[in-house]
Amino acid sequence: DALIVHGTGRQVEANRTLALRWQTTLADAWTETLVPVVKDCEVSDEELAGHDLVVLGAPAENSVTARIASRLPPGLTAAFGRNHFSWDGKVYGRPDDGLFLVLPNPFNPKRALFLIAANSALELHQMTKAYSTKIPSWAVFRGDEAKLQGFHAPERFVFEGLSK
């Protein structure tokens, strides 16, 4: 019930190749099946709402990331610019910086979103070389290593359909 969504804003073939490699990495490590790969410009709102999403690329590369960035949960301190991002009040502008976020899918909060965004294509490649079963809610990467990581405070999120 998941989709891998790659960007078509820049370096289309590199992004597709990366998504296909990530598809294989996930299948080898976790699912044993190939998660479908779709282009950001070809995925419908119904598909976005009906699946768990693995979205690859910053807003400059991936229009779905751009849509997600404008719909982040209140209190979540992430923002994206061209070749930089900010997380928790700090700006990350090195080409080898990247951000990994696990959030409720903003198109359907009963589904999950895994966002992998980086300041360069090379960093996105580094972040998706391997899969770890120890998934934090967020991680700031430098190269292929999570330099900072943690979990979201539960009060940041409101999940529809769940009672207290």
Side-chain angles (χ1 to χ4, degrees):
D1 290 335
L3 289 176
I4 297 172
V5 183
H6 72 86
T8 57
R10 298 190 290 188
Q11 303 172 347
V12 178
E13 286 306 314
N15 287 332
R16 177 168 169 68
T17 300
L18 184 82
L20 292 173
R21 190 176 52 92
W22 186 237
Q23 175 192 52
T24 303
T25 300
L26 290 178
D28 288 345
W30 191 51
T31 65
E32 298 181 3
T33 60
L34 294 174
V35 175
V37 172
V38 297
K39 295 177 184 176
D40 61 340
C41 61
E42 294 179 353
V43 66
S44 69
D45 287 346
E46 292 78 24
E47 289 172 309
L48 293 171
H51 294 86
D52 296 315
L53 302 176
V54 179
V55 180
L56 300 173
E61 293 99 26
N62 192 319
S63 63
V64 172
T65 305
R67 291 174 64 192
I68 289 166
S70 68
R71 300 171 76 173
L72 290 174
L76 192 67
T77 56
F80 299 92
R82 188 164 180 91
N83 301 324
H84 72 279
F85 64 90
S86 65
W87 171 250
D88 206 20
K90 184 175 178 192
V91 176
Y92 296 87
R94 290 176 48 148
D96 58 344
D97 288 336
L99 181 63
F100 172 78
L101 293 174
V102 180
L103 300 167
N105 178 342
F107 304 99
N108 178 355
K110 294 179 183 177
R111 296 285 191 171
L113 164 69
F114 301 85
L115 176 62
I116 306 169
N119 291 342
S120 68
L122 179 58
E123 179 56 21
L124 196 59
H125 168 77
Q126 293 285 44
M127 292 173 68
T128 59
K129 286 194 315 190
Y131 175 81
S132 172
T133 57
K134 296 177 182 179
I135 300 175
S137 296
W138 62 268
V140 175
F141 277 77
R142 177 145 305 144
D144 61 356
E145 184 180 349
K147 293 294 188 178
L148 300 168
Q149 60 185 331
F151 295 91
H152 303 301
E155 60 272 10
R156 285 187 171 173
F157 302 103
V158 176
F159 295 93
E160 293 179 11
L162 299 178
S163 60
K164 291 185 178 182

